[in-house]
Structures are given as C-alpha cells and as structure tokens.
Amino acid sequence: LTIVAIDGCSGSGKTTLTNAIVDEWPGTAVVHIDYFYHPMDLSEMAALGPAEGFHRAYDWQRLCAEVLIPLVDGAPARYRSYDWGANVVGVERTEVSPRGLVVVEGVYALYEELRGYYSASVFVDTPADVRRKRCLERTGDEFFACSVLAGDEHSRVGRCDSIDSLHHVEDGLRGTDDLVPGANLTPE
C-alpha cells in the first residue's frame, strides 16, 4: 500500500493532477478532502475566518478514523462523504482496499496531524492569479456555497485567498516530498 497526499492552494490543480495519476495508474483509489467536513449552517461557515473555519468545518479526525488509520493497519477503509448540497454527512460508505495506490487529495491533506500516515506527499504550487481565476469558475464547493449566501461571487476569491494564506503559514511546503508547478495543469 502506498498512500500519497496531494495538497495545494484552492484552484492549484490538485484534482487535475490526481486525475492524471488515475489515468496513468488505473485502479488508484482517490479520497477527496472535500468529503470530510462537519455539517454546519453555510451562513455560519461563510462568516468564519480562515483559522476558525478550518478548525470548526474540516473533519480531519473522521478522515483519520475512517480512512487513514484502517489503511495503515492493513484493513479496508470505509468512509462517509459530506454532501455539500444537502449539508450532511451521508450514511452510505465508500470502501477503499488497503493495497495499491491511494491518493488523498485536497487543501489541508498535509495538515500536520495527517503527515505520518503518508508514504509520499506532493504540493501543487500555482501562481495566485491563476488560482483566483479557477476559483471564480467553480461551482459545488465551499467557496461557491459561501459566495452564493454572501450574494457576491468575488467573496469566493477572498475566501480562497485567506484560507490559502493560512494554509501556507500553518503547513505550506514544510516536509513535502515533491513540489509540482500547477499553472499548466488544465482539466480535460
């Protein structure tokens, strides 16, 4: 079993890189960090600052309990996914076998508490102007949901930038095995 974390700022190209890995190595299991949030009122989430939002909204403990610990122990992982549309953690479980390649992808995948579970780590580094453009084009994630509540799609960019600043300060590139430039990563 090889568990690889792919992290980077919002809009950096993490999912695009992950999809390229899956295309190259069929059978790769992918666990998206976006599946690990606590249900909370989205207007409350929109009002949180980045540090507060991360610690109150992101459920890294459930990622450890349902995915990382079982896999490292050689057992199948069975996790529930957060549903952004319904604002609930679902009851159905996705199973990941403890063999082959597993990619854990998303902002904060390299959170300090998680690093010990990974075989390797990658940080996708993309210029801020490229990330901002990508964030504005998004739908279906926390930035989109919060910007709809705020009635301002540009709040999505501000939220993206503030969370990314916190991300760089708290974890950033510290201890990353590889740095991948993301400006030229484009979805197919």
Side-chain angles (χ1 to χ4, degrees):
L1 172 67
T2 301
I3 304 174
V4 176
I6 298 180
D7 200 337
C9 295
S10 304
S12 64
K14 299 174 299 298
T15 302
T16 301
L17 177 60
T18 298
N19 291 340
I21 290 169
V22 170
D23 289 347
E24 186 68 26
W25 289 283
T28 297
V30 178
V31 177
H32 297 283
I33 293 291
D34 284 350
Y35 293 157
F36 294 88
Y37 277 81
H38 293 289
M40 65 186 310
D41 182 87
L42 292 179
S43 60
E44 180 184 353
M45 182 186 286
L48 296 174
E52 207 176 23
F54 172 73
H55 294 290
R56 290 187 50 203
Y58 175 51
D59 194 354
W60 65 269
Q61 297 92 339
R62 185 166 60 83
L63 175 64
C64 285
E66 294 183 3
V67 176
L68 298 174
I69 292 170
L71 289 176
V72 169
D73 288 346
R78 293 179 184 90
Y79 67 89
R80 299 164 294 140
S81 296
Y82 175 73
D83 179 334
W84 282 97
N87 193 23
V88 298
V89 175
V91 293
E92 290 186 34
R93 294 189 181 255
T94 300
E95 184 168 316
V96 178
S97 297
R99 60 181 164 270
L101 178 60
V102 176
V103 175
V104 177
E105 175 272 327
V107 174
Y108 290 110
L110 290 175
Y111 183 62
E112 189 171 348
E113 302 294 333
L114 306 174
R115 290 177 186 255
Y117 295 102
Y118 303 129
S119 310
S121 58
V122 175
F123 191 90
V124 181
D125 188 31
T126 304
D129 61 323
V130 174
R131 292 186 289 103
R132 282 188 195 103
K133 181 179 183 298
R134 291 174 181 171
C135 283
L136 280 173
E137 294 169 351
R138 287 184 162 175
T139 59
D141 66 1
E142 71 176 286
F143 304 112
F144 180 75
C146 292
S147 68
V148 167
L149 283 168
D152 175 17
E153 75 174 13
H154 293 283
S155 70
R156 190 174 343 168
V157 175
R159 187 166 174 79
C160 179
D161 286 345
S162 65
I163 288 173
D164 290 342
S165 296
L166 175 71
H167 181 57
H168 280 298
V169 170
E170 286 193 355
D171 288 307
L173 304 173
R174 187 170 15 108
T176 301
D177 295 320
D178 200 4
L179 179 66
V180 173
N184 294 323
L185 293 173
T186 53
E188 294 181 7

mmCIF file of all heavy atoms in Angstrom, residues 33-42 44-46 48-62 82 84 87 89 142 146 159 163:
data_model
loop_
_atom_site.group_PDB
_atom_site.id
_atom_site.type_symbol
_atom_site.label_atom_id
_atom_site.label_comp_id
_atom_site.label_asym_id
_atom_site.label_seq_id
_atom_site.Cartn_x
_atom_site.Cartn_y
_atom_site.Cartn_z
ATOM 1 N N ILE A 33 -10.484 15.312 0.134
ATOM 2 C CA ILE A 33 -10.627 16.011 1.410
ATOM 3 C C ILE A 33 -11.998 16.683 1.513
ATOM 4 O O ILE A 33 -12.559 16.799 2.592
ATOM 5 C CB ILE A 33 -9.490 17.055 1.575
ATOM 6 C CG1 ILE A 33 -8.134 16.354 1.713
ATOM 7 C CG2 ILE A 33 -9.753 17.986 2.747
ATOM 8 C CD1 ILE A 33 -7.922 15.587 2.978
ATOM 9 N N ASP A 34 -12.564 17.113 0.381
ATOM 10 C CA ASP A 34 -13.872 17.776 0.393
ATOM 11 C C ASP A 34 -14.986 16.891 0.943
ATOM 12 O O ASP A 34 -16.080 17.381 1.240
ATOM 13 C CB ASP A 34 -14.260 18.239 -1.017
ATOM 14 C CG ASP A 34 -13.500 19.483 -1.442
ATOM 15 O OD1 ASP A 34 -12.825 20.100 -0.601
ATOM 16 O OD2 ASP A 34 -13.582 19.836 -2.633
ATOM 17 N N TYR A 35 -14.745 15.604 1.086
ATOM 18 C CA TYR A 35 -15.743 14.701 1.668
ATOM 19 C C TYR A 35 -15.722 14.725 3.197
ATOM 20 O O TYR A 35 -16.533 14.057 3.832
ATOM 21 C CB TYR A 35 -15.505 13.261 1.217
ATOM 22 C CG TYR A 35 -15.721 13.009 -0.252
ATOM 23 C CD1 TYR A 35 -15.108 11.931 -0.866
ATOM 24 C CD2 TYR A 35 -16.527 13.813 -1.035
ATOM 25 C CE1 TYR A 35 -15.299 11.664 -2.214
ATOM 26 C CE2 TYR A 35 -16.714 13.572 -2.378
ATOM 27 C CZ TYR A 35 -16.092 12.492 -2.962
ATOM 28 O OH TYR A 35 -16.277 12.243 -4.294
ATOM 29 N N PHE A 36 -14.789 15.484 3.773
ATOM 30 C CA PHE A 36 -14.593 15.452 5.222
ATOM 31 C C PHE A 36 -14.808 16.820 5.851
ATOM 32 O O PHE A 36 -13.871 17.478 6.293
ATOM 33 C CB PHE A 36 -13.210 14.876 5.549
ATOM 34 C CG PHE A 36 -13.107 13.447 5.154
ATOM 35 C CD1 PHE A 36 -12.708 13.098 3.879
ATOM 36 C CD2 PHE A 36 -13.485 12.440 6.029
ATOM 37 C CE1 PHE A 36 -12.654 11.769 3.482
ATOM 38 C CE2 PHE A 36 -13.440 11.108 5.640
ATOM 39 C CZ PHE A 36 -13.022 10.775 4.362
ATOM 40 N N TYR A 37 -16.065 17.227 5.865
ATOM 41 C CA TYR A 37 -16.462 18.467 6.524
ATOM 42 C C TYR A 37 -17.544 18.152 7.540
ATOM 43 O O TYR A 37 -18.263 17.161 7.411
ATOM 44 C CB TYR A 37 -16.986 19.487 5.505
ATOM 45 C CG TYR A 37 -15.874 20.258 4.845
ATOM 46 C CD1 TYR A 37 -15.166 19.711 3.785
ATOM 47 C CD2 TYR A 37 -15.502 21.509 5.321
ATOM 48 C CE1 TYR A 37 -14.119 20.400 3.199
ATOM 49 C CE2 TYR A 37 -14.458 22.203 4.741
ATOM 50 C CZ TYR A 37 -13.767 21.644 3.681
ATOM 51 O OH TYR A 37 -12.728 22.320 3.105
ATOM 52 N N HIS A 38 -17.642 19.000 8.552
ATOM 53 C CA HIS A 38 -18.738 18.907 9.516
ATOM 54 C C HIS A 38 -19.942 19.635 8.931
ATOM 55 O O HIS A 38 -19.787 20.739 8.404
ATOM 56 C CB HIS A 38 -18.379 19.615 10.831
ATOM 57 C CG HIS A 38 -17.292 18.977 11.611
ATOM 58 N ND1 HIS A 38 -17.453 17.778 12.267
ATOM 59 C CD2 HIS A 38 -16.021 19.367 11.850
ATOM 60 C CE1 HIS A 38 -16.324 17.468 12.881
ATOM 61 N NE2 HIS A 38 -15.437 18.411 12.639
ATOM 62 N N PRO A 39 -21.129 19.066 9.026
ATOM 63 C CA PRO A 39 -22.311 19.824 8.620
ATOM 64 C C PRO A 39 -22.443 21.056 9.517
ATOM 65 O O PRO A 39 -22.260 20.971 10.727
ATOM 66 C CB PRO A 39 -23.474 18.857 8.874
ATOM 67 C CG PRO A 39 -22.847 17.507 8.882
ATOM 68 C CD PRO A 39 -21.465 17.703 9.436
ATOM 69 N N MET A 40 -22.679 22.174 8.914
ATOM 70 C CA MET A 40 -22.920 23.393 9.683
ATOM 71 C C MET A 40 -23.671 24.362 8.792
ATOM 72 O O MET A 40 -23.663 24.230 7.575
ATOM 73 C CB MET A 40 -21.616 24.003 10.207
ATOM 74 C CG MET A 40 -20.660 24.519 9.161
ATOM 75 S SD MET A 40 -19.046 25.078 9.813
ATOM 76 C CE MET A 40 -19.465 26.154 11.130
ATOM 77 N N ASP A 41 -24.333 25.301 9.406
ATOM 78 C CA ASP A 41 -25.057 26.306 8.666
ATOM 79 C C ASP A 41 -24.073 27.028 7.745
ATOM 80 O O ASP A 41 -23.040 27.523 8.201
ATOM 81 C CB ASP A 41 -25.707 27.275 9.658
ATOM 82 C CG ASP A 41 -26.525 28.325 8.948
ATOM 83 O OD1 ASP A 41 -27.715 28.069 8.678
ATOM 84 O OD2 ASP A 41 -25.949 29.392 8.665
ATOM 85 N N LEU A 42 -24.384 27.064 6.448
ATOM 86 C CA LEU A 42 -23.451 27.648 5.494
ATOM 87 C C LEU A 42 -23.271 29.147 5.695
ATOM 88 O O LEU A 42 -22.202 29.693 5.397
ATOM 89 C CB LEU A 42 -23.858 27.324 4.064
ATOM 90 C CG LEU A 42 -23.727 25.843 3.678
ATOM 91 C CD1 LEU A 42 -24.192 25.627 2.245
ATOM 92 C CD2 LEU A 42 -22.310 25.343 3.866
ATOM 93 N N GLU A 44 -23.147 30.487 8.617
ATOM 94 C CA GLU A 44 -22.164 30.491 9.707
ATOM 95 C C GLU A 44 -20.765 30.202 9.144
ATOM 96 O O GLU A 44 -19.790 30.851 9.506
ATOM 97 C CB GLU A 44 -22.536 29.447 10.759
ATOM 98 C CG GLU A 44 -21.587 29.365 11.920
ATOM 99 C CD GLU A 44 -21.933 28.252 12.895
ATOM 100 O OE1 GLU A 44 -22.992 27.608 12.762
ATOM 101 O OE2 GLU A 44 -21.105 28.011 13.796
ATOM 102 N N MET A 45 -20.682 29.223 8.231
ATOM 103 C CA MET A 45 -19.389 28.896 7.623
ATOM 104 C C MET A 45 -18.844 30.109 6.879
ATOM 105 O O MET A 45 -17.654 30.417 6.958
ATOM 106 C CB MET A 45 -19.504 27.706 6.670
ATOM 107 C CG MET A 45 -18.172 27.291 6.052
ATOM 108 S SD MET A 45 -18.316 25.998 4.813
ATOM 109 C CE MET A 45 -18.644 24.569 5.824
ATOM 110 N N ALA A 46 -19.724 30.822 6.155
ATOM 111 C CA ALA A 46 -19.289 31.982 5.379
ATOM 112 C C ALA A 46 -18.745 33.086 6.270
ATOM 113 O O ALA A 46 -17.887 33.859 5.850
ATOM 114 C CB ALA A 46 -20.443 32.500 4.527
ATOM 115 N N LEU A 48 -17.079 32.639 9.119
ATOM 116 C CA LEU A 48 -15.881 32.242 9.866
ATOM 117 C C LEU A 48 -14.621 32.757 9.191
ATOM 118 O O LEU A 48 -14.513 32.795 7.970
ATOM 119 C CB LEU A 48 -15.797 30.715 9.949
ATOM 120 C CG LEU A 48 -16.893 29.995 10.716
ATOM 121 C CD1 LEU A 48 -16.723 28.491 10.574
ATOM 122 C CD2 LEU A 48 -16.906 30.412 12.173
ATOM 123 N N GLY A 49 -13.665 33.130 10.005
ATOM 124 C CA GLY A 49 -12.336 33.445 9.491
ATOM 125 C C GLY A 49 -11.652 32.151 9.101
ATOM 126 O O GLY A 49 -12.121 31.054 9.433
ATOM 127 N N PRO A 50 -10.509 32.234 8.412
ATOM 128 C CA PRO A 50 -9.862 31.018 7.916
ATOM 129 C C PRO A 50 -9.446 30.032 9.002
ATOM 130 O O PRO A 50 -9.707 28.841 8.876
ATOM 131 C CB PRO A 50 -8.661 31.524 7.130
ATOM 132 C CG PRO A 50 -8.567 32.968 7.378
ATOM 133 C CD PRO A 50 -9.849 33.439 7.969
ATOM 134 N N ALA A 51 -8.829 30.489 10.079
ATOM 135 C CA ALA A 51 -8.387 29.559 11.130
ATOM 136 C C ALA A 51 -9.591 28.912 11.788
ATOM 137 O O ALA A 51 -9.651 27.699 11.976
ATOM 138 C CB ALA A 51 -7.534 30.280 12.169
ATOM 139 N N GLU A 52 -10.574 29.742 12.126
ATOM 140 C CA GLU A 52 -11.800 29.258 12.751
ATOM 141 C C GLU A 52 -12.534 28.295 11.820
ATOM 142 O O GLU A 52 -13.014 27.252 12.241
ATOM 143 C CB GLU A 52 -12.673 30.479 13.045
ATOM 144 C CG GLU A 52 -13.601 30.333 14.175
ATOM 145 C CD GLU A 52 -14.335 31.658 14.398
ATOM 146 O OE1 GLU A 52 -14.446 32.497 13.466
ATOM 147 O OE2 GLU A 52 -14.814 31.829 15.516
ATOM 148 N N GLY A 53 -12.614 28.664 10.541
ATOM 149 C CA GLY A 53 -13.299 27.824 9.558
ATOM 150 C C GLY A 53 -12.657 26.467 9.422
ATOM 151 O O GLY A 53 -13.331 25.448 9.376
ATOM 152 N N PHE A 54 -11.328 26.464 9.374
ATOM 153 C CA PHE A 54 -10.643 25.188 9.237
ATOM 154 C C PHE A 54 -10.910 24.301 10.443
ATOM 155 O O PHE A 54 -11.277 23.142 10.304
ATOM 156 C CB PHE A 54 -9.131 25.383 9.065
ATOM 157 C CG PHE A 54 -8.391 24.080 9.120
ATOM 158 C CD1 PHE A 54 -8.463 23.192 8.057
ATOM 159 C CD2 PHE A 54 -7.679 23.717 10.235
ATOM 160 C CE1 PHE A 54 -7.821 21.970 8.118
ATOM 161 C CE2 PHE A 54 -7.027 22.500 10.301
ATOM 162 C CZ PHE A 54 -7.102 21.633 9.234
ATOM 163 N N HIS A 55 -10.738 24.839 11.622
ATOM 164 C CA HIS A 55 -10.858 24.010 12.822
ATOM 165 C C HIS A 55 -12.297 23.642 13.153
ATOM 166 O O HIS A 55 -12.534 22.609 13.772
ATOM 167 C CB HIS A 55 -10.169 24.696 14.008
ATOM 168 C CG HIS A 55 -8.690 24.785 13.812
ATOM 169 N ND1 HIS A 55 -7.870 23.681 13.847
ATOM 170 C CD2 HIS A 55 -7.886 25.827 13.532
ATOM 171 C CE1 HIS A 55 -6.626 24.044 13.615
ATOM 172 N NE2 HIS A 55 -6.607 25.339 13.413
ATOM 173 N N ARG A 56 -13.261 24.441 12.718
ATOM 174 C CA ARG A 56 -14.659 24.122 13.001
ATOM 175 C C ARG A 56 -15.344 23.377 11.873
ATOM 176 O O ARG A 56 -16.307 22.650 12.105
ATOM 177 C CB ARG A 56 -15.425 25.392 13.333
ATOM 178 C CG ARG A 56 -14.995 25.944 14.694
ATOM 179 C CD ARG A 56 -15.810 27.104 15.160
ATOM 180 N NE ARG A 56 -17.235 26.871 15.088
ATOM 181 C CZ ARG A 56 -18.121 27.849 15.011
ATOM 182 N NH1 ARG A 56 -17.743 29.092 14.973
ATOM 183 N NH2 ARG A 56 -19.401 27.578 14.958
ATOM 184 N N ALA A 57 -14.879 23.571 10.636
ATOM 185 C CA ALA A 57 -15.596 22.998 9.496
ATOM 186 C C ALA A 57 -14.968 21.702 8.982
ATOM 187 O O ALA A 57 -15.684 20.782 8.588
ATOM 188 C CB ALA A 57 -15.673 24.018 8.362
ATOM 189 N N TYR A 58 -13.665 21.599 8.973
ATOM 190 C CA TYR A 58 -12.969 20.443 8.398
ATOM 191 C C TYR A 58 -12.881 19.307 9.419
ATOM 192 O O TYR A 58 -12.438 19.502 10.535
ATOM 193 C CB TYR A 58 -11.579 20.887 7.944
ATOM 194 C CG TYR A 58 -10.692 19.794 7.428
ATOM 195 C CD1 TYR A 58 -11.117 18.907 6.458
ATOM 196 C CD2 TYR A 58 -9.400 19.648 7.910
ATOM 197 C CE1 TYR A 58 -10.286 17.913 5.984
ATOM 198 C CE2 TYR A 58 -8.560 18.663 7.439
ATOM 199 C CZ TYR A 58 -9.007 17.800 6.481
ATOM 200 O OH TYR A 58 -8.187 16.815 6.017
ATOM 201 N N ASP A 59 -13.289 18.106 9.023
ATOM 202 C CA ASP A 59 -13.331 16.958 9.929
ATOM 203 C C ASP A 59 -12.152 16.019 9.678
ATOM 204 O O ASP A 59 -12.305 14.898 9.214
ATOM 205 C CB ASP A 59 -14.667 16.225 9.753
ATOM 206 C CG ASP A 59 -14.948 15.239 10.879
ATOM 207 O OD1 ASP A 59 -14.069 15.020 11.737
ATOM 208 O OD2 ASP A 59 -16.059 14.685 10.888
ATOM 209 N N TRP A 60 -10.936 16.496 9.996
ATOM 210 C CA TRP A 60 -9.742 15.673 9.792
ATOM 211 C C TRP A 60 -9.716 14.469 10.727
ATOM 212 O O TRP A 60 -9.136 13.441 10.397
ATOM 213 C CB TRP A 60 -8.469 16.512 9.925
ATOM 214 C CG TRP A 60 -8.220 17.080 11.285
ATOM 215 C CD1 TRP A 60 -8.621 18.293 11.754
ATOM 216 C CD2 TRP A 60 -7.511 16.449 12.344
ATOM 217 N NE1 TRP A 60 -8.213 18.461 13.048
ATOM 218 C CE2 TRP A 60 -7.523 17.348 13.432
ATOM 219 C CE3 TRP A 60 -6.869 15.226 12.486
ATOM 220 C CZ2 TRP A 60 -6.915 17.044 14.648
ATOM 221 C CZ3 TRP A 60 -6.259 14.923 13.700
ATOM 222 C CH2 TRP A 60 -6.291 15.834 14.758
ATOM 223 N N GLN A 61 -10.396 14.558 11.868
ATOM 224 C CA GLN A 61 -10.447 13.411 12.777
ATOM 225 C C GLN A 61 -11.193 12.240 12.141
ATOM 226 O O GLN A 61 -10.806 11.087 12.303
ATOM 227 C CB GLN A 61 -11.108 13.806 14.109
ATOM 228 C CG GLN A 61 -10.350 14.863 14.880
ATOM 229 C CD GLN A 61 -10.814 16.286 14.574
ATOM 230 O OE1 GLN A 61 -11.417 16.578 13.538
ATOM 231 N NE2 GLN A 61 -10.514 17.206 15.485
ATOM 232 N N ARG A 62 -12.263 12.552 11.402
ATOM 233 C CA ARG A 62 -13.011 11.491 10.721
ATOM 234 C C ARG A 62 -12.193 10.911 9.573
ATOM 235 O O ARG A 62 -12.219 9.703 9.332
ATOM 236 C CB ARG A 62 -14.367 12.023 10.219
ATOM 237 C CG ARG A 62 -15.251 10.930 9.615
ATOM 238 C CD ARG A 62 -16.695 11.379 9.445
ATOM 239 N NE ARG A 62 -16.852 12.525 8.592
ATOM 240 C CZ ARG A 62 -16.904 12.479 7.259
ATOM 241 N NH1 ARG A 62 -16.793 11.321 6.620
ATOM 242 N NH2 ARG A 62 -17.063 13.581 6.549
ATOM 243 N N TYR A 82 -19.251 13.832 2.967
ATOM 244 C CA TYR A 82 -20.033 15.036 3.201
ATOM 245 C C TYR A 82 -20.703 15.424 1.889
ATOM 246 O O TYR A 82 -20.075 15.446 0.841
ATOM 247 C CB TYR A 82 -19.134 16.171 3.697
ATOM 248 C CG TYR A 82 -19.859 17.488 3.843
ATOM 249 C CD1 TYR A 82 -20.758 17.677 4.879
ATOM 250 C CD2 TYR A 82 -19.664 18.512 2.935
ATOM 251 C CE1 TYR A 82 -21.448 18.879 5.006
ATOM 252 C CE2 TYR A 82 -20.342 19.713 3.053
ATOM 253 C CZ TYR A 82 -21.232 19.880 4.092
ATOM 254 O OH TYR A 82 -21.912 21.065 4.208
ATOM 255 N N TRP A 84 -22.308 18.421 -0.006
ATOM 256 C CA TRP A 84 -22.399 19.873 0.026
ATOM 257 C C TRP A 84 -23.818 20.355 -0.247
ATOM 258 O O TRP A 84 -24.255 21.344 0.356
ATOM 259 C CB TRP A 84 -21.433 20.491 -0.989
ATOM 260 C CG TRP A 84 -20.031 20.493 -0.487
ATOM 261 C CD1 TRP A 84 -19.062 19.573 -0.757
ATOM 262 C CD2 TRP A 84 -19.455 21.426 0.420
ATOM 263 N NE1 TRP A 84 -17.910 19.887 -0.076
ATOM 264 C CE2 TRP A 84 -18.127 21.028 0.651
ATOM 265 C CE3 TRP A 84 -19.935 22.562 1.056
ATOM 266 C CZ2 TRP A 84 -17.272 21.731 1.490
ATOM 267 C CZ3 TRP A 84 -19.075 23.266 1.888
ATOM 268 C CH2 TRP A 84 -17.769 22.848 2.093
ATOM 269 N N ASN A 87 -25.808 19.363 2.894
ATOM 270 C CA ASN A 87 -25.141 19.800 4.121
ATOM 271 C C ASN A 87 -25.245 18.732 5.221
ATOM 272 O O ASN A 87 -25.556 19.032 6.362
ATOM 273 C CB ASN A 87 -25.698 21.151 4.594
ATOM 274 C CG ASN A 87 -24.826 21.775 5.672
ATOM 275 O OD1 ASN A 87 -23.638 21.481 5.789
ATOM 276 N ND2 ASN A 87 -25.428 22.629 6.478
ATOM 277 N N VAL A 89 -23.454 14.632 6.423
ATOM 278 C CA VAL A 89 -22.549 13.515 6.158
ATOM 279 C C VAL A 89 -23.450 12.328 5.858
ATOM 280 O O VAL A 89 -24.321 11.978 6.657
ATOM 281 C CB VAL A 89 -21.632 13.218 7.358
ATOM 282 C CG1 VAL A 89 -20.792 11.973 7.103
ATOM 283 C CG2 VAL A 89 -20.732 14.416 7.646
ATOM 284 N N GLU A 142 -17.223 24.661 -1.127
ATOM 285 C CA GLU A 142 -17.481 25.597 -0.045
ATOM 286 C C GLU A 142 -17.391 27.048 -0.497
ATOM 287 O O GLU A 142 -18.132 27.900 -0.043
ATOM 288 C CB GLU A 142 -16.540 25.357 1.134
ATOM 289 C CG GLU A 142 -15.104 25.764 0.862
ATOM 290 C CD GLU A 142 -14.212 25.604 2.062
ATOM 291 O OE1 GLU A 142 -14.315 26.417 2.995
ATOM 292 O OE2 GLU A 142 -13.411 24.669 2.060
ATOM 293 N N CYS A 146 -20.582 29.470 -0.081
ATOM 294 C CA CYS A 146 -20.483 30.672 0.754
ATOM 295 C C CYS A 146 -20.684 31.937 -0.060
ATOM 296 O O CYS A 146 -21.281 32.900 0.417
ATOM 297 C CB CYS A 146 -19.143 30.704 1.482
ATOM 298 S SG CYS A 146 -18.999 29.417 2.740
ATOM 299 N N ARG A 159 -12.243 34.504 0.061
ATOM 300 C CA ARG A 159 -12.210 33.355 0.969
ATOM 301 C C ARG A 159 -11.104 32.394 0.550
ATOM 302 O O ARG A 159 -10.358 31.883 1.379
ATOM 303 C CB ARG A 159 -13.567 32.659 0.955
ATOM 304 C CG ARG A 159 -13.691 31.557 1.973
ATOM 305 C CD ARG A 159 -15.158 31.155 2.139
ATOM 306 N NE ARG A 159 -15.279 30.018 3.002
ATOM 307 C CZ ARG A 159 -15.218 30.082 4.319
ATOM 308 N NH1 ARG A 159 -15.026 31.218 4.922
ATOM 309 N NH2 ARG A 159 -15.347 28.989 5.045
ATOM 310 N N ILE A 163 -7.934 31.569 3.076
ATOM 311 C CA ILE A 163 -7.678 30.197 3.502
ATOM 312 C C ILE A 163 -6.314 29.749 3.015
ATOM 313 O O ILE A 163 -5.553 29.119 3.745
ATOM 314 C CB ILE A 163 -8.792 29.257 3.007
ATOM 315 C CG1 ILE A 163 -10.063 29.529 3.811
ATOM 316 C CG2 ILE A 163 -8.381 27.791 3.136
ATOM 317 C CD1 ILE A 163 -11.275 28.791 3.330
#
